[in-house]
Amino acid sequence: MRGDYMRDDIARILLTEEMIQKRVKELGEQLSKDYAECGDDVMLVCILKGAVMFFSDLARAVSIPLQIDFMGISSYGNEQKTSGIVRITKDIDASITGKHVIIAEDIMDSGLTLKHLTKLLSSRNPASLKTCCLLDKPKRRECDITPDYYGFVIPNEFVVGYGLDYMGIYRNLPFVGVLKPSVYSE
Ligand code: IMP
Ligand code: MG
């Protein structure tokens, strides 16, 4: 059956739906505490498309007033390794000057995407700028950056689900899993 094929392509589940939901709630509580004094000027920016699931769960786990906005970037094409070139396909609508900006991203891998993005957004003079990544793959880092907040440190394996894709597919899986190697070689 067509509906089962996505799950059949997963070698093993790394993070279950329950693990993710529990951790995202904790991150939301942490942000609510850390930004409690920032009034109405806190903005959570979703990096499209990979962060969309994480972002929408995280935003609802934050109990303080939160502005939301979206930024589209493309750094991967359809490949598994980063090109280092970040193209902005959709910019943030609002001004971020004077705001406490938190970038919500799916994963920090080489770090090149967020390095580039934080440099770009800093130049717009936000009151503060932090990164919040669901996943961190520190072994793959190619520049000096670490997420300010992260959900899980994961091993150096290519994962899909909960927003993360391979060739545009698997984003709607509710868990994070490792793809079977046969999927790449087909
Ligand atoms: P970086 O610039 O190498 O840190 O790449 C970050 C981007 O690469 C993420 O936003 C993802 O879109 C993509 N990426 C990195 N690792 C994975 C993975 O294991 N699965 C799916 N996408 C990934
Ligand atoms: Mg992405």
Side-chain angles (χ1 to χ4, degrees):
M1 193 175 59
R2 178 83 184 162
D4 287 336
Y5 102 103
M6 273 204 305
R7 281 166 198 255
D8 290 345
D9 288 348
I10 305 298
R12 65 176 210 284
I13 295 178
L14 206 60
L15 305 169
T16 64
E17 194 173 351
E18 292 72 26
M19 288 162 77
I20 295 168
Q21 293 302 327
K22 180 170 176 279
R23 185 68 187 120
V24 172
K25 285 216 167 61
E26 289 171 2
L27 282 173
E29 284 162 19
Q30 186 67 51
L31 292 176
S32 305
K33 273 191 206 137
D34 294 356
Y35 288 84
E37 310 298 325
C38 297
D40 290 339
D41 287 326
V42 185
M43 183 191 277
L44 188 65
V45 175
C46 176
I47 306 302
L48 299 169
K49 305 172 185 135
V52 70
M53 310 297 175
F54 175 48
F55 166 86
S56 61
D57 284 337
L58 182 63
R60 283 175 290 180
V62 171
S63 54
I64 57 166
L66 195 63
Q67 298 177 38
I68 62 168
D69 218 311
F70 300 86
M71 188 161 191
I73 57 156
S74 143
S75 57
Y76 251 62
N78 278 335
E79 317 217 348
Q80 274 176 267
K81 64 188 231 314
T82 192
S83 58
I85 300 159
V86 179
R87 192 166 60 92
I88 297 189
T89 56
K90 186 223 167 287
D91 205 344
I92 301 170
D93 289 331
S95 163
I96 61 164
T97 305
K99 288 185 186 154
H100 294 278
V101 176
I102 307 156
I103 304 174
E105 175 60 312
D106 53 1
I107 186 166
M108 190 181 281
D109 190 37
S110 72
L112 293 169
T113 304
L114 279 167
K115 186 81 183 176
H116 180 93
L117 224 53
T118 49
K119 201 175 157 203
L120 174 80
L121 295 182
S122 298
S123 71
R124 300 181 186 175
N125 300 314
S128 68
L129 181 65
K130 300 247 161 140
T131 56
C132 181
C133 300
L134 176 72
L135 307 175
D136 184 12
K137 264 192 215 172
K139 289 222 162 71
R140 296 256 307 170
R141 206 72 88 245
E142 289 172 30
C143 54
D144 62 334
I145 185 169
T146 46
D148 296 300
Y149 299 91
Y150 65 89
F152 303 89
V153 170
I154 62 161
N156 184 10
E157 286 178 289
F158 194 80
V159 293
V160 294
Y162 196 64
L164 293 119
D165 75 305
Y166 174 65
M167 305 277 274
I169 316 289
Y170 308 103
R171 292 194 198 275
N172 57 319
L173 288 171
F175 54 79
V176 171
V178 179
L179 264 191
K180 283 181 185 163
S182 59
V183 177
Y184 307 124
S185 45
E186 261 165 27

